[in-house]
Amino acid sequence: RDLKGKEASLYSNDLSIDLEKLKKGNYLLQNFALFTDQKELAIPEQQTMRLYDEYCTQMDKYADYIAPVYQFSDIEKNDKEGKLSSLLTLEDGGVCFNDLAMLRNYYRMGVRMIALTWNYENGIGFPNLSMKDMNGNHPNYKRSVDTERGLTEFGISYVKEMERLGMIIDVSHLNDAGFYDVLKYTTKPFVASHSNARSVCNVARNMNDDMILQLAKRGGVMGLNFCGSFLADHDDHKSCVEDMVKHILYIKDLAGIDVIGLGTDFDGISCPLEIGDASMMNLLEEALYKAGLTQEEVEKIFYKNVLEYTKKFYKWIVDPFFFLVFLEGYDIISDVNFCKKYERENERLWNY
C-alpha cells in the first residue's frame, strides 16, 4: 500500500521503491521482507502468510518485469531476459509460534535472511527501541539501551538453527544484550542490515563502538540506515547525505572499510529524505568521493564488502549468492530489504 494506505502498484507508486524506480536505478535484485506488526493481530503468523500470498501474487502479476530467485543461476537467467530478480526475507523472526518447524518452513518458502526482532519483544529476544519509546511527538530514542535481557532459550535455539540452515542472522533492532548473545552462541558472521554508529548519533537503535568492532572481527557487515533520527539530532529529523558520510567515515576509522554496507530503510521510515528513492543513490556515491574516499573504498561500501562476506562464509546448500549490500524499502509488505552492487563499467546498480 502507498503512504496514504491506498492500494499501490508494484510497478509504479509514490513510495521510494517500485519497478520503475528500480529500473531507472539499474537494480538487478530486490529483497522483499515479510513484515508483521505482532501487537496488532491475535495471530500474527496468519498475517505473515497473507503477506506471502501477496508477494507471490505480485510476482505473478509482474512476471514480465520481475521474478523470484532461489539460486544464483536464476539471477543470471532473469538478467539475460531483462527482468529484475526478487528475494524473500523476514522482518521480526518471532512470527513462528515459538516453533523451529516454522523457521524451517520459512526457509522452504525461500526466506534467506531474518531480523530477529522488530520494535516488540518476542519469543527470541528484545529490542532496544520499543513502540512505547517511539510513540508521541518526542520519541525516546536515547534511554532504552538494554544490556541485561539477552536471547531467550528459544532464541538461542533459533539462531543456531538459522546457522544450520544457512540463513543470515540480522541483529538490527535487537538490544545490546541480544547482540552479545548472538556473538556468543553462533560461529558464523552475521549482519546488522540497517544500523548506524551510536557514537555519531546517540540513539539506542544504533550500535556502540564495541559492537561494531565485534561485528567486524566476526566478518559481518552493517548497513547504513537512512532514518534521519538515527543519523543526526536535527529538529526536522531530515535524512541528509552529509550525515550519512559522517557515519561512514567514523565507522571506517573505527573498524575499517570492510564492515560498511548500505541499509536505507526505504518505505520503513517517514522522515524527509534527501535521497528520496532508489533511483537517487548516486547522490551518496558523489558525496563519498568528495569526502576523499577512493573508488575501491566506494565500491566496497556499495557491494564488495558483502560480496566478500558472502563468498567467504556462506556456502549454502541452494547456492552461495546472498547478499551484497543491505538496503530497506517498498511497503507492499511494509518493509523490504534489498542489496546492491554498483558496476562502474556501465554504471549499473546491481542488487543481490
Side-chain angles (χ1 to χ4, degrees):
R1 294 184 177 275
D2 65 16
L3 298 177
K4 298 178 181 178
K6 297 181 180 179
E7 192 167 327
S9 166
L10 177 59
Y11 186 80
S12 180
N13 56 56
D14 65 354
L15 300 168
S16 292
I17 296 294
D18 60 35
L19 294 179
E20 285 187 329
K21 296 181 184 77
L22 294 174
K23 281 289 188 181
K24 185 177 179 180
N26 288 321
Y27 287 92
L28 179 66
L29 185 146
Q30 171 86 25
N31 291 354
F32 290 85
L34 303 176
F35 167 77
T36 302
D37 189 332
Q38 291 208 56
K39 297 299 183 182
E40 297 296 320
L41 301 160
I43 307 176
E45 292 80 2
Q46 183 179 35
Q47 175 67 5
T48 305
M49 292 300 102
R50 287 172 176 165
L51 297 176
Y52 176 66
D53 176 67
E54 178 66 16
Y55 168 80
C56 295
T57 298
Q58 293 294 323
M59 293 301 103
D60 291 341
K61 183 175 182 180
Y62 295 105
D64 291 339
Y65 305 99
I66 189 169
V69 295
Y70 306 100
Q71 57 189 6
F72 187 77
S73 60
D74 293 335
I75 298 177
E76 296 177 317
K77 177 177 179 291
N78 292 340
D79 189 40
K80 289 178 180 178
E81 295 177 357
K83 296 180 181 180
L84 294 162
S85 291
S86 170
L87 184 71
L88 193 63
T89 71
L90 191 66
E91 183 86 6
D92 193 334
V95 286
C96 64
F97 296 111
N98 289 342
D99 188 342
L100 294 181
M102 281 287 291
L103 172 62
R104 290 187 285 271
N105 284 334
Y106 283 128
Y107 180 85
R108 294 173 182 124
M109 290 162 54
V111 173
R112 290 296 181 271
M113 181 170 75
I114 298 178
L116 299 180
T117 65
W118 187 58
N119 292 332
Y120 301 118
E121 63 181 78
N122 58 24
I124 300 168
F126 306 85
N128 255 350
L129 283 178
S130 69
M131 290 308 296
K132 179 176 64 177
D133 299 314
M134 302 289 281
N135 287 337
N137 296 325
H138 302 285
N140 175 15
Y141 292 124
K142 297 184 179 180
R143 293 186 295 173
S144 299
V145 174
D146 184 351
T147 60
E148 297 181 1
R149 298 180 298 173
L151 296 178
T152 65
E153 183 176 348
F154 173 73
I156 294 169
S157 299
Y158 192 99
V159 296
K160 288 182 176 180
E161 183 68 355
M162 283 186 68
E163 279 205 326
R164 188 191 71 82
L165 290 168
M167 303 176 83
I168 291 178
I169 297 167
D170 181 4
V171 298
S172 286
H173 289 283
L174 190 65
N175 65 358
D176 289 25
F179 172 94
Y180 287 106
D181 271 355
V182 171
L183 195 68
K184 177 180 178 180
Y185 291 107
T186 65
T187 60
K188 294 180 181 179
F190 51 92
V191 305
S193 67
H194 52 302
S195 296
N196 299 337
R198 197 178 294 167
S199 290
V200 178
C201 183
N202 185 25
V203 299
R205 194 39 194 82
N206 290 338
M207 299 173 68
N208 68 33
D209 286 1
D210 184 66
M211 293 164 73
I212 295 172
L213 287 167
Q214 293 297 332
L215 183 70
K217 183 178 179 180
R218 177 64 70 89
V221 179
M222 60 188 296
L224 189 73
N225 191 323
F226 284 17
C227 177
S229 296
F230 303 159
L231 287 168
D233 189 13
H234 297 313
D235 290 339
D236 60 1
H237 305 291
K238 184 176 181 179
S239 172
C240 300
V241 173
E242 178 183 4
D243 297 318
M244 298 175 192
V245 173
K246 289 179 182 177
H247 281 266
I248 288 172
L249 295 179
Y250 180 84
I251 296 167
K252 173 179 175 286
D253 290 342
L254 173 70
I257 194 73
D258 293 344
V259 75
I260 309 171
L262 299 176
T264 68
D265 210 1
F266 276 146
D267 299 322
I269 52 179
S270 58
C271 61
L273 296 166
E274 185 174 355
I275 297 178
D277 60 55
S279 69
M280 301 171 65
M281 294 302 297
N282 62 296
L283 296 178
L284 178 57
E285 179 201 16
E286 294 165 3
L288 291 174
Y289 282 126
K290 288 181 180 178
L293 271 66
T294 66
Q295 177 177 326
E296 175 68 12
E297 288 173 327
V298 173
E299 289 180 349
K300 280 192 169 189
I301 293 167
F302 270 72
Y303 77 94
K304 286 185 177 180
N305 285 340
V306 189
L307 176 59
E308 179 62 22
Y309 153 81
T310 303
K311 286 181 177 179
K312 196 171 181 180
F313 298 105
Y314 282 89
K315 305 296 182 183
W316 291 317
I317 295 172
V318 177
D319 215 324
F321 76 93
F322 315 89
F323 286 92
L324 297 188
V325 174
F326 303 97
L327 303 172
E328 296 272 337
Y330 193 57
D331 235 3
I332 182 177
I333 25 191
S334 259
D335 202 41
V336 173
N337 293 321
F338 63 92
C339 310
K340 73 182 184 175
K341 171 181 175 182
Y342 189 69
E343 186 181 75
R344 300 195 58 80
E345 289 77 12
N346 59 8
E347 296 188 339
R348 176 157 191 187
L349 193 64
W350 290 61
N351 293 275
Y352 284 75

